[in-house]
Amino acid sequence: MTNRKPARVPARDRAAIIAVGIVLVAMLISGGAPSIARGETAPEYTVKAAFLYNFAKFVEWPADAFAGPASPIVLFVYGADPFGDALKSLKGKTANGRPIVVRYAANLGELERCHLLFVSASEKANLPKILQTTKGWSILTVGDMNGFAQDGGIINMVKEESRVGIEINLEAAQRSRLEISSKLLGLAKIVKPGRR
């Protein structure tokens, strides 16, 4: 019996497979019960929690963003929490060999050791201050509000009919010294700061 190596899937095809997988998960989740009971998570935010996990997998932070090689990727939610229990699904998961830790910030001073920051739509009016405070830090800022990426955030999750799409502000990512995988960039709409 000969040992055969599995065929490698080209990068473009892997990106397409990832996109199809995300869409299938979104379709399965959104086909759930029409009403959401108290304490349950809206299907949209279950999908967005999965997106946050994938962002952690497809973004590379500079080495000096971490205290050491085994330090976790710290995900903070800032503002009103729209995820409900959905972020509990990230407990015990790793991305790029690092555990993911979820925290909730009450003030901007807590964000200095953050790697992935979800800015809640409840903080839309405070967005300029948040982005100014985190300027120069290697933080992947993520939101789901109109104009988030154009206003200086890095990734915006946008609802497009029945699915979630993403917008990426590549200039903001570069200023934060973050490297976004071409697989993720291939699924996104690239936006320029200030252009809507």
Side-chain angles (χ1 to χ4, degrees), residues 82-118:
F83 290 96
D85 291 337
L87 292 178
K88 288 182 180 177
S89 66
L90 302 184
K91 188 174 182 176
K93 295 213 182 221
T94 61
N96 302 319
R98 296 180 183 275
I100 296 175
V101 174
V102 178
R103 297 196 176 130
Y104 300 87
N107 62 67
L108 292 173
E110 296 177 61
L111 303 179
E112 195 167 357
R113 280 287 153 213
C114 172
H115 300 100
L116 201 163
L117 172 63
F118 178 82

Side-chain angles (χ1 to χ4, degrees), residues 9-178:
V9 178
R12 186 179 58 179
D13 293 342
R14 283 195 303 269
I17 291 167
I18 291 167
V20 169
I22 289 172
V23 169
L24 287 174
V25 168
M27 286 170 47
L28 286 171
I29 292 169
S30 64
S35 62
I36 304 298
R38 180 173 280 181
E40 290 183 15
T41 302
E44 176 185 347
Y45 281 92
T46 302
V47 172
K48 287 179 178 179
F51 270 72
L52 290 177
Y53 173 61
N54 281 297
F55 297 158
K57 287 172 46 177
F58 292 105
V59 170
E60 190 174 316
W61 283 263
D64 64 3
F66 299 95
S71 297
I73 294 172
V74 180
L75 184 164
F76 266 100
V77 175
Y78 189 76
D81 177 16
F83 290 96
D85 291 337
L87 292 178
K88 288 182 180 177
S89 66
L90 302 184
K91 188 174 182 176
K93 295 213 182 221
T94 61
N96 302 319
R98 296 180 183 275
I100 296 175
V101 174
V102 178
R103 297 196 176 130
Y104 300 87
N107 62 67
L108 292 173
E110 296 177 61
L111 303 179
E112 195 167 357
R113 280 287 153 213
C114 172
H115 300 100
L116 201 163
L117 172 63
F118 178 82
V119 181
S120 173
S122 68
E123 297 302 313
K124 175 75 173 166
N126 297 320
L127 187 58
K129 182 178 180 183
I130 294 166
L131 295 176
Q132 183 60 38
T133 300
T134 59
K135 188 176 183 178
W137 298 346
S138 295
I139 296 177
L140 178 66
T141 51
V142 180
D144 66 350
M145 61 187 92
N146 186 35
F148 181 80
Q150 291 89 342
D151 290 342
I154 297 175
I155 299 180
N156 192 27
M157 296 184 283
V158 293
K159 196 143 185 214
E160 298 173 342
E161 296 176 16
S162 61
R163 70 180 191 92
V164 177
I166 55 174
E167 298 173 335
I168 295 179
N169 179 333
L170 207 46
E171 291 176 32
Q174 290 165 346
R175 280 195 305 273
S176 296
R177 300 183 305 133
L178 301 175

